[in-house]
Amino acid sequence: MDLGCGPGNSTETLLACAPHAKITGIDNSGDMIAAARKRLPEVQFELADISAWRAEGPYDLILANVSLQWVPDHETLFPALVAKLAEGGQLAVQMPDNLDEPAHRLMREAAADGPWRDKLKGVERTARYRAEWYYSLLKPQCASVDVWRTTYHHPLEGGIDAIIEWFKGSALRPFLARLDAQEATAFLDRYRAGLKTACTVLEDGTVLLPFPRLFIVATR
Ligand SMILES: C[S@@+](CC[C@H](N)C(=O)[O-])C[C@H]1O[C@@H](n2cnc3c(N)ncnc32)[C@H](O)[C@@H]1O
């Protein structure tokens, strides 16, 4: 089972590992499901939301690669997913774990430090769940739980502004959505000043953006 299969990249990897398995992918984006069906016509893909996914299984493997960070209530979601596993089956999850990184912390600080403070209240997100939390949650239901964290360093060309451009498509969006053009410029100036103190720009203008990711493999 591939939860949040996107255009089928992760499903294709599953298929290569287990060519004779019965594989299903779900995603809540119609475009993604259409792309996945085109890419892997032999696999079953369904338009569905992970939160509302009620199939009982049992499954040998439930994979969720970079999708569960969008789904709320991990305290009920993760045990419910493990309950769908066959004995010896595995839940394999990978999620970004970057909310404590300076680039995110500085975003929250910029939000709290300006005339836009009230407008931006409640936008900031902090890391809710940590490795220990997942381990403690899953261990009572599982024979083994492996959790590890890897930091990828993404090389971005273009100095500090490249970091801002990178986040404009993701983490900065909810902040900028609440500001008018003038406030947005001032907010980004404040954010940029913070980044300048925290990030190293290499001689050729490259910045290595640290991107930690959390991996969990829980075996029932
Ligand atoms: C970053 S992509 C990962 C795609 C694929 N798993 C991969 O490894 O290439 C995340 C996918 O999760 C899907 N997604 C996010 N929230 C979802 C939800 N609540 N239910 C189902 N799919 C969801 C998105 O539509 C997107 O296709």
Side-chain angles (χ1 to χ4, degrees):
M1 188 68 213
D2 189 3
L3 299 181
C5 60
N9 304 21
S10 41
T11 328
E12 194 165 40
T13 304
L14 280 182
L15 191 60
C17 292
H20 303 296
K22 181 170 180 277
I23 299 175
T24 304
I26 65 166
D27 202 284
N28 65 354
S29 154
D31 288 347
M32 291 295 169
I33 289 297
R37 283 181 179 147
K38 201 167 162 195
R39 180 181 194 143
L40 299 170
E42 67 273 43
V43 174
Q44 187 182 344
F45 289 102
E46 293 164 13
L47 183 63
D49 196 289
I50 295 166
S51 305
W53 181 53
R54 297 280 173 265
E56 283 181 7
Y59 292 91
D60 297 316
L61 175 64
I62 299 177
L63 172 73
N65 192 48
V66 205
S67 54
L68 297 188
Q69 74 277 8
W70 304 113
V71 184
D73 300 330
H74 285 194
E75 46 275 76
T76 46
L77 176 70
F78 274 66
L81 293 178
V82 169
K84 296 176 195 291
L85 293 173
E87 210 181 316
Q90 293 186 307
L91 171 67
V93 177
Q94 193 247 122
M95 294 175 290
D97 187 20
N98 56 351
L99 295 180
D100 289 337
E101 286 302 299
H104 282 269
R105 178 177 47 78
L106 291 164
M107 226 177 271
R108 296 194 289 272
E109 287 177 13
D113 180 25
W116 44 74
R117 190 182 307 118
D118 289 340
K119 273 190 180 179
L120 298 183
K121 232 178 215 147
V123 172
E124 74 269 22
R125 285 168 61 215
T126 48
R128 292 164 300 170
Y129 310 115
R130 296 172 194 282
E132 293 81 0
W133 186 88
Y134 286 107
Y135 183 87
S136 304
L137 178 71
L138 296 173
K139 190 65 185 77
Q141 263 180 300
C142 293
S144 71
V145 180
D146 290 330
V147 187
W148 70 101
R149 195 171 186 262
T150 297
T151 300
Y152 294 77
H153 291 270
H154 290 284
L156 302 179
E157 288 170 16
I160 299 297
D161 281 333
I163 301 179
I164 295 176
E165 287 308 311
W166 166 282
F167 284 116
K168 270 187 184 168
S170 54
L172 280 171
R173 279 174 82 159
F175 293 102
L176 298 177
R178 294 196 186 185
L179 302 177
D180 64 33
Q182 212 178 349
E183 288 170 328
T185 305
F187 169 76
L188 290 180
D189 285 347
R190 168 73 179 72
Y191 181 45
R192 186 178 294 104
L195 289 174
K196 276 185 181 159
T197 64
C199 303
T200 303
V201 181
L202 304 182
E203 259 175 34
D204 67 354
T206 304
V207 181
L208 292 185
L209 180 72
F211 200 132
R213 293 174 176 274
L214 194 65
F215 295 76
I216 301 168
V217 174
T219 306
R220 189 165 181 195

